[in-house]
Amino acid sequence: MRIGILGAGQLGRMLALAGLPLDTSFSFYDTSGSPTAGIGEIIVDPSSSHEKLNEFLAKIDIATYEFENIPLGLTQEVEKYKPLHPSSKSIRICQNRVEEKKLFAQLGIPTASYKVATSAEELKQAATELGCPVVAKSATDGYDGKGQAVLKSPEDASAAWQSIGHSTLVVESFVEFDREVSMIAVRSRDGDVAFYPMAENVHKDGILRYSIAPAPELNNDVKAVAESYIRDLLNELGHVGVLTLELFVTPRGLLANEMAPRVHNSGHWSMNGAKCSQFENHIRAIAGLPLGDTSAISPTCMINLIGTAGSKEDTLKLPYVHLHMYGKEERAGRKIGHINIVADTYKELIWRVESTIERVPSCPAFECSLTRTVKVQENNGATDS
Ligand code: AMP
């Protein structure tokens, strides 16, 4: 089967790396003008009229996308000629925070209180009514914390409006969460659904730095609730492929933050830590193949390499390091690769992660619920976790 991917970045690259052994082949359609996938055939077409789309369509049997911020019209055009999984409905909702929030509300999935603002005055009013701090986010085109500002006072509205520079904002109450988690699930063409163990995610400046899976000490009730939320979303969207739901764990339960209609950075751990990775399962789902086993092999941590990777030779001397580079040039703030660490216990995982990040200067200190829990257990005299 010939699979076409809209977008040609690292997610497309990893989809192709997982799909090739299943006897599928890949072509990419890149609208950015700077593809990095480095695998398969890449058609570069930054023209707004999508001049080379027919050339791409002639090479593929089915299509998918690796990123939600591609033009909706492009996905609708592709859909006229080839099966597109997930469909343009998923992208239409997931690329707009207002639509996403409406769907969460329709399905009874709780979120932070929010308002929509279309001017600096409305932003100020929203901040006043919600009570500061609030987080203002561009309704579209935002990712990795881009297009966002935290307002400590309604008086910050004018500067925040200017800095975000977008015509529609979603303004949310600031959530005092215990931790951030994500639920990744995959739905087949026949409607079968499989859930990955949830990951705990550590962000710095809006960018994911570490994911630990299975999220340690996660109550089964919390998992069941997250599974019911994502199942409802998958079914409502008629989604085929992987869907990711990012959530805040708060003392009053889970709050949905946002979702992505695709494989996700917080699922990269599954390449080494799960029986079947999110990438392989996305390909299986869209190609009409049976879904693979989503269960975890062992506790795993994904370490994002942001800006610089340090010395790969040095890092690879550690026998437990799985290195995944994306073929991208080093640049401040850019995701250029990740490392997966698998261990037999969470305690060993912490030790391995800390030993690894000593060799990667761009990594922040490894602090998460796991390090806090283990420290408490150590203080109480427990020997392992
Ligand atoms: P997002 O692009 O919506 O995923 O936001 C990026 C990161 O900003 C999240 O992973 C959180 O760490 C933080 N963040 C986003 N929204 C909120 C909120 N309402 N309250 C507190 N932190 C938030």
Side-chain angles (χ1 to χ4, degrees):
M1 183 176 285
R2 301 171 306 160
I3 298 179
I5 300 186
L6 300 172
Q10 69 262 23
L11 299 179
R13 173 190 179 92
M14 290 186 274
L15 284 167
L17 288 169
L20 289 170
L22 298 177
D23 221 6
T24 52
S25 63
F26 290 85
S27 302
F28 295 85
Y29 184 77
D30 171 80
T31 55
S32 73
S34 51
T36 58
I39 186 171
E41 182 172 0
I42 304 181
I43 295 173
V44 182
D45 186 8
S47 70
S48 55
S49 52
H50 311 309
E51 284 161 16
K52 297 188 185 167
L53 189 57
N54 284 341
E55 190 188 327
F56 172 70
L57 291 171
K59 292 178 191 298
I60 64 170
D61 300 311
I62 62 167
T64 188
Y65 42 85
E66 59 137 33
F67 194 42
E68 59 276 24
N69 289 334
I70 48 171
L72 175 63
L74 174 63
T75 60
Q76 290 167 333
E77 194 60 21
V78 168
E79 221 164 24
K80 284 187 200 158
Y81 303 100
K82 300 283 162 153
L84 175 73
H85 303 301
S87 74
S88 61
K89 181 175 180 186
S90 292
I91 214 164
R92 181 173 62 75
I93 295 188
C94 295
Q95 72 177 201
N96 187 320
R97 290 185 192 273
V98 180
E99 295 301 317
E100 204 170 82
K101 289 270 202 285
K102 278 190 202 158
L103 181 61
F104 289 152
Q106 179 195 322
L107 296 175
I109 301 173
T111 62
S113 311
Y114 76 97
K115 294 191 179 294
V116 177
T118 56
S119 66
E121 293 69 39
E122 283 182 15
L123 174 58
K124 186 173 182 182
Q125 196 180 341
T128 308
E129 288 172 13
L130 291 167
C132 282
V134 293
V135 187
K137 305 176 178 179
S138 65
T140 57
D141 300 320
Y143 66 98
D144 285 346
K146 294 188 176 73
Q148 299 192 10
V150 176
L151 281 71
K152 296 205 171 94
S153 136
E155 304 310 317
D156 297 341
S158 175
W161 179 263
Q162 291 289 334
S163 77
I164 298 175
H166 210 272
S167 57
T168 308
L169 306 186
V170 168
V171 191
E172 299 174 3
S173 293
F174 191 91
V175 178
E176 295 292 346
F177 50 79
D178 297 333
R179 55 176 161 163
E180 292 185 77
V181 292
S182 53
M183 163 57 77
I184 297 182
V186 56
R187 184 171 177 274
S188 75
R189 285 203 213 166
D190 297 334
D192 295 336
V193 175
F195 307 99
Y196 279 93
M198 291 175 77
E200 174 174 332
N201 302 319
V202 180
H203 293 84
K204 191 168 173 237
D205 302 328
I207 301 186
L208 182 69
R209 304 310 296 246
Y210 300 101
S211 287
I212 305 107
E217 305 278 325
L218 198 69
N219 184 311
N220 277 336
D221 295 346
V222 173
K223 274 190 232 165
V225 169
E227 287 183 4
S228 76
Y229 290 164
I230 203 163
R231 187 190 288 280
D232 289 351
L233 289 164
L234 285 164
N235 290 337
E236 176 62 27
L237 294 168
H239 191 92
V240 172
V242 165
L243 180 73
T244 303
L245 178 62
E246 293 182 57
L247 300 139
F248 299 123
V249 180
T250 78
R252 285 184 293 155
L254 289 174
L255 295 180
N257 177 23
E258 62 172 1
M259 62 177 173
R262 55 170 167 81
V263 287
H264 195 258
N265 197 170
S266 68
H268 291 2
W269 66 272
S270 65
M271 295 170 87
N272 302 99
K275 292 195 176 143
C276 181
S277 77
Q278 61 166 351
F279 299 101
E280 181 175 336
N281 253 332
H282 184 77
I283 298 299
R284 285 178 180 233
I286 66 170
L289 299 168
L291 297 182
D293 187 346
T294 48
S295 55
I297 297 166
S298 232
T300 304
C301 180
M302 190 277 320
I303 304 168
N304 255 349
L305 299 174
I306 311 283
T308 170
S311 159
K312 292 186 267 299
E313 290 71 20
D314 247 14
T315 312
L316 285 169
K317 282 183 188 147
L318 300 174
Y320 40 79
V321 159
H322 297 280
L323 181 64
H324 301 271
M325 296 302 297
Y326 305 155
K328 291 161 86 174
E329 276 176 28
E330 297 197 345
R331 193 195 302 152
R334 197 179 202 199
K335 289 181 180 171
I336 56 167
H338 69 270
I339 290 172
N340 283 339
I341 308 279
V342 186
D344 289 334
T345 64
Y346 285 114
K347 192 172 176 185
E348 184 181 50
L349 187 66
I350 296 176
W351 184 86
R352 288 184 173 183
V353 171
E354 285 175 346
S355 307
T356 305
I357 64 177
E358 274 173 18
R359 295 169 189 236
V360 189
S362 59
C363 291
F366 181 49
E367 280 166 11
C368 59
S369 75
L370 182 57
T371 53
R372 290 189 289 273
T373 307
V374 170
K375 275 179 192 140
V376 169
Q377 285 173 343
E378 279 173 354
N379 290 341
N380 292 343
T383 54
D384 206 348
S385 85

